[in-house]
Amino acid sequence: MHPKVKFLSVVWGEAYIERFASLALPSFLAPGNLPALAAETDLEVVVMTAAKDIRRFNGYAAFRRLRGICRVRFVEIDDLI
């Protein structure tokens, strides 16, 4: 039985999602980072974002790759932003 791990990230807005998907996420997906963690744990990535922005994430190849290695869940934070 693998330990449960949650990786949390907060990002909203078109420009910031684009930067996250093109800069940060590829780094997180590099060998030895999230893929290695997912192999040894029950990894879930939790993305906290605006409800209107959730659909934007699926337009990025890096995000689709992330979904291939672990569960991804969105938490809407409209009341906070």
Side-chain angles (χ1 to χ4, degrees), residues 4-27:
K4 291 185 178 199
V5 174
K6 292 190 189 305
F7 180 89
L8 308 174
S9 185
V10 181
V11 61
W12 70 90
E14 184 176 358
Y16 295 105
I17 293 168
E18 193 281 325
R19 288 181 187 139
F20 174 78
S22 64
L23 297 172
L25 193 51
S27 174

Side-chain angles (χ1 to χ4, degrees), residues 1-9 28 32-47 66 69-73:
M1 185 160 177
H2 293 298
K4 291 185 178 199
V5 174
K6 292 190 189 305
F7 180 89
L8 308 174
S9 185
F28 296 153
N33 290 339
L34 289 182
L37 188 61
E40 299 296 324
T41 67
D42 181 11
L43 177 63
E44 179 183 38
V45 171
V46 179
V47 179
L66 175 65
I69 67 163
C70 67
R71 285 187 321 268
V72 177
R73 181 168 53 100

